[in-house]
Structure formats: C-alpha cells, structure tokens
Amino acid sequence: MIILNETDATPASFILNGIPGLEDMHMWISFPFCSMYIVAMVGNCGLLYLICYEDSLHRSMYYFLAMLSLTDLVMCSSTIPKALCIFWFHLKKIGFEECLVQMFFIHTFTGMESGVLMLMALDRYVAICYPLRYSTILTNSVIAKVGLATFLRAVLLIIPLIFFTKRLPYCKGNIIHHTYCDQLSVAKLSCGNIKANVIYGLIAALLIGGFDILCITISYTMILRAVVSLFSADARQKAFSTFTAHISAIVFSYSPAFFCFFFNRFGSRTIPPSCHIIVANIYLLLPPTMNPIVYGVKTKQIRDCIIKIFSGSRNIKSHST
C-alpha cells in the first residue's frame, strides 16, 4: 500500500519488484549476477592495488585505468547488492530518498565511465601520435584536472535530472518493475507531466555519451592511421594490442547502453520488459567484470606485475620450507 505525504504526494518508499515475469527464476538468475559481482570486486580491487603499489605502473594510462576501476566498483555496487537482496531475501522496499541517491550514483557513474573511456582514448592518441611529448602533455596535474572535470560534468548534468524526478507527484502506485531505481521507471509512476524528465534525460545522454563517442571515434581513427604508418612490426603489434584492449572495453560498455537507450524510447512495445531489465543490469555489471580481465590479459606491464607478485610469493614459500 502506498503511503503519501499529504502536502506533495511523495511516496515514503518504493517496492522494487525485480524482474517481472521471471519471479520464479530469481534464485537462479542471482547466481551469475553474484559470480560476476565477485569477479568485478576482486578484479578491480586487484587493479587498484597494482597501480597504487607498483612504481612501473605510475603512468597516465594506468592512472586512467585506476579511475575506470574505481568508477566500475561504485557503479556495480550501487545496484547489485540490492538486486541480490531482492532475489535472495525478498527485501524489495527502498525509501524514496534512498531511491534518489541510488539513481544519482547510477547515472553519475555511468556518465563517469563513458568519460573515462574517452580520456583513455585520448591518452592512447597522445602516446601513439606524439610519443616524444607524451610525458610533458599528460602530467599528473593534467590527469587530476581532466579526471575531476569528467566527474563534475557527470554530477552537474545528473543533479537536475534527480531534481525533476523528486518534484513529481506520484499517484500510480509505488511498485517499480525493476531491480534498481532507474530514472524513467520511477518517473512513469507519476501522474504529473514527465516531459521534462524525458527531454532532459535525452539531452544529458547526448552531452555525455554522444560527445564521448565522437571523441573516441576521432581518436581511434587518428590512432589507426598512425599505427598503419609505423615501420616496425613490433611497434605495430604493441599498438594494436593496446588498441584492442580499449576497443573491447568500449564494446562492453556501450553495447548494452545502446540497447537500453533505444528500448526506453522505441522498443517498449515489442521487447519483453524482463529482457530490458536483464540487459540493464548487465549494462552496469558487464564492464566492471570484463575490464580487469581484458586489461590484465592484453596489457603486458600488468601481466608482468601479476607474474612478479605470484612468483615472489612462491619464492617466499619455498624459502620458508
């Protein structure tokens, strides 16, 4: 039963209903979600540890990778623990303010993820196209400033969206057919005019995602031109290895995002809601899970650091015995 504030028709809480139509399979769905979340936590925490304590990784590329790992940790931790509580313990209730906070973190850090991928593409562009000026262009202060600017861009663009959602009157019930507080899913419970939410959400998506994709496309076009012109086969192979790692991260991040974006606007009548919700969760879980694996496999310096750590631990054990 919905509890409304008498003055502004604000619900005291919402009910997150999980994945509609698949309630009987919630327990089975939870296992891959939980497994991916554990891999994401271990992998990203491991990357942050390596980058923090290995002097050889104190370079701009790895600082941006650390930003990506931290963003991934916050992004998946904002949704998956609550989803697992829904699947395992039927704890579906979420307070109105808590819902807005979750919404803020989800949208802010998905925007941050897109921005960091753009920064990583620009980093690779400078490294391959201007190798002699790489260390002078991307200094620690520049990295800190562009990282902060990327975060502030996401925060400043998402805050109005949260405000638009908070001001709406809600009189269509309090059951959200989702595993987390998605902005449109919450706004659809309102009996007010949600046109501002829809239009501003589209503008924010274009200002963040559209701008970042344009920069990434231009950067990698220039990178490909530079790589093809390299005379050394080893240099080309090294550049392509880094290139494929970044492309894989971009594919894992943007493919589910595009699906969710087009579903919300064009495919809600043809695609089952359960499919949309599963993909929406994968959108927040797949990049954090795959990014540490992709960069760990494709980046030689990270592989070498991992091998050094494990070989060092084996040597310690052998000496102790």
Side-chain angles (χ1 to χ4, degrees):
M1 181 178 178
I2 187 168
I3 304 173
L4 295 177
N5 186 308
E6 293 180 357
T7 59
D8 57 2
T10 298
S13 62
F14 289 116
I15 302 297
L16 292 169
N17 206 30
I19 304 176
L22 298 177
E23 289 84 359
D24 294 338
M25 299 183 67
H26 275 179
M27 184 61 68
W28 295 105
I29 295 171
S30 70
F31 290 117
F33 276 40
C34 182
S35 300
M36 293 173 71
Y37 181 61
I38 292 172
V39 171
M41 294 297 291
V42 172
N44 285 290
C45 287
L47 273 180
L48 287 171
Y49 173 83
L50 282 177
I51 294 168
C52 182
Y53 289 102
E54 287 292 332
D55 292 337
S56 62
L57 300 182
H58 291 175
R59 296 167 51 195
S60 63
M61 171 184 172
Y62 303 106
Y63 291 146
F64 288 132
L65 183 55
M67 289 183 198
L68 185 67
S69 292
L70 188 59
T71 300
D72 285 341
L73 285 172
V74 177
M75 190 169 69
C76 64
S77 295
S78 300
T79 56
I80 300 304
K82 181 60 179 178
L84 293 178
C85 287
I86 295 170
F87 295 154
W88 289 344
F89 310 114
H90 304 288
L91 299 176
K92 301 181 177 183
K93 186 176 179 180
I94 184 170
F96 181 74
E97 299 294 335
E98 184 184 353
C99 183
L100 293 179
V101 170
Q102 186 189 51
M103 189 188 304
F104 171 79
F105 273 95
I106 291 168
H107 292 293
T108 296
F109 281 89
T110 52
M112 182 70 180
E113 170 106 354
S114 176
V116 173
L117 288 174
M118 176 196 65
L119 294 178
M120 295 176 77
L122 295 175
D123 170 79
R124 289 300 85 200
Y125 167 71
V126 175
I128 292 173
C129 298
Y130 301 98
L132 299 178
R133 299 172 56 194
Y134 179 64
S135 59
T136 58
I137 294 175
L138 291 173
T139 62
N140 288 345
S141 69
V142 169
I143 294 167
K145 288 175 183 177
V146 295
L148 180 61
T150 303
F151 175 71
L152 290 177
R153 179 191 67 165
V155 169
L156 294 176
L157 284 173
I158 296 305
I159 284 178
L161 194 62
I162 305 302
F163 173 77
F164 290 148
T165 306
K166 180 179 175 62
R167 67 170 179 79
L168 291 171
Y170 294 91
C171 56
K172 294 183 179 179
N174 66 339
I175 297 177
I176 302 172
H177 297 291
H178 215 302
T179 58
Y180 59 82
C181 290
D182 174 69
Q183 186 268 143
L184 279 179
S185 297
V186 174
K188 287 176 181 177
L189 296 179
S190 172
C191 51
N193 188 350
I194 66 170
K195 185 177 293 185
N197 293 66
V198 175
I199 294 174
Y200 186 81
L202 181 60
I203 292 172
L206 291 175
L207 289 176
I208 295 175
F211 176 78
D212 292 345
I213 291 171
L214 178 63
C215 291
I216 289 169
T217 302
I218 295 172
S219 297
Y220 282 122
T221 301
M222 302 298 290
I223 289 171
L224 277 175
R225 291 178 59 184
V227 169
V228 170
S229 65
L230 291 174
F231 293 104
S232 170
D234 290 338
R236 283 199 301 269
Q237 183 178 1
K238 182 179 179 181
F240 271 121
S241 178
T242 306
F243 181 79
T244 55
H246 289 298
I247 290 297
S248 299
I250 290 167
V251 169
F252 289 134
S253 295
Y254 282 109
S255 296
F258 280 129
F259 178 89
C260 294
F261 178 82
F262 286 108
F263 174 87
N264 282 330
R265 285 153 182 84
F266 309 112
S268 57
R269 296 182 180 179
T270 57
I271 302 174
S274 58
C275 181
H276 166 239
I277 294 170
I278 290 173
V279 174
N281 280 274
I282 290 174
Y283 164 48
L284 299 177
L285 188 54
L286 185 63
T289 303
M290 296 305 300
N291 286 342
I293 297 173
V294 168
Y295 286 105
V297 170
K298 287 288 185 182
T299 308
K300 183 179 183 299
Q301 290 86 345
I302 293 177
R303 290 201 310 268
D304 291 343
C305 289
I306 294 172
I307 292 170
K308 184 175 74 172
I309 290 173
F310 279 100
S311 62
S313 63
R314 284 197 295 269
N315 290 334
I316 292 172
K317 288 181 181 178
S318 63
H319 286 304
S320 63
T321 56

